[in-house]
Amino acid sequence: SDEKFHRYPDAGACFPHPDGPDKGYVYVSNSEDVPGSGGVGGIYFNEDGMVVNYKPLLIGSTKNCGGGKTPWGTWVSCEEYETGDGIWQVNPWPEPGMPRAQLTTLGEKNSDGKRGGMWESFTYDTSYS
């Protein structure tokens, strides 16, 4: 990749390839960078653990601090910044033409035009079904 790894890495997680771990995996990491320079990047590995690619998955956000892995295979990235957008859902294995990241409902503006606040972390509990 011609892309440089992002500055100020923070929370991260590994995701196996959708066709199985024998096809490789991706390490997804937040970038807790200054306003407008944060985001999420993915380092892609083949089945032998060799780095084969790096690509930004979310750009232009701010101070992406904590995050979490969802049971449906996406990464949730939290902006720890008062005027940031909030919480993003990021696809670690985006298909061509598909969005890499989407703002979640928690990140949307409320009826007063304000966002939910500074988001430090995320967790998903599967024990209550």
Side-chain angles (χ1 to χ4, degrees), residues 20 27 54 93 124:
Y27 170 69
Y54 168 79
W93 297 99
Y124 185 87

Side-chain angles (χ1 to χ4, degrees), residues 5 20 36-37 46 55 69 74 77 80 86 90 102-103 108 110:
F5 185 71
S37 297
N46 67 15
K55 63 182 159 190
K69 196 173 177 178
T74 61
S77 179
E80 186 185 25
V90 179
Q102 296 176 294
L103 190 61
E108 292 177 352
N110 64 22

Side-chain angles (χ1 to χ4, degrees), residues 5 12 21 40 110 120 122:
F5 185 71
V40 177
N110 64 22
E120 169 110 19
F122 169 86

Side-chain angles (χ1 to χ4, degrees), residues 30-33 35-36 38-40 58-68 75-90 101-110 113-123:
N30 282 344
S31 171
E32 196 169 1
D33 209 341
V40 177
L58 170 64
I59 58 173
S61 54
T62 301
K63 289 191 157 188
N64 296 71
C65 184
W75 173 249
V76 174
S77 179
C78 303
E79 286 185 273
E80 186 185 25
Y81 189 65
E82 196 169 303
T83 59
D85 284 330
I87 299 180
W88 295 86
Q89 184 168 216
V90 179
Q102 296 176 294
L103 190 61
T104 68
T105 301
L106 291 172
E108 292 177 352
K109 291 182 180 179
N110 64 22
K114 296 180 181 175
R115 304 234 183 247
M118 292 174 44
W119 301 93
E120 169 110 19
S121 195
F122 169 86
T123 188

Side-chain angles (χ1 to χ4, degrees), residues 5 9-15 25-30 41-45 57:
F5 185 71
D10 207 306
C14 289
F15 295 85
Y25 61 96
V26 59
Y27 170 69
V28 174
S29 168
N30 282 344
I43 301 174
Y44 293 81
F45 299 84
L57 299 169

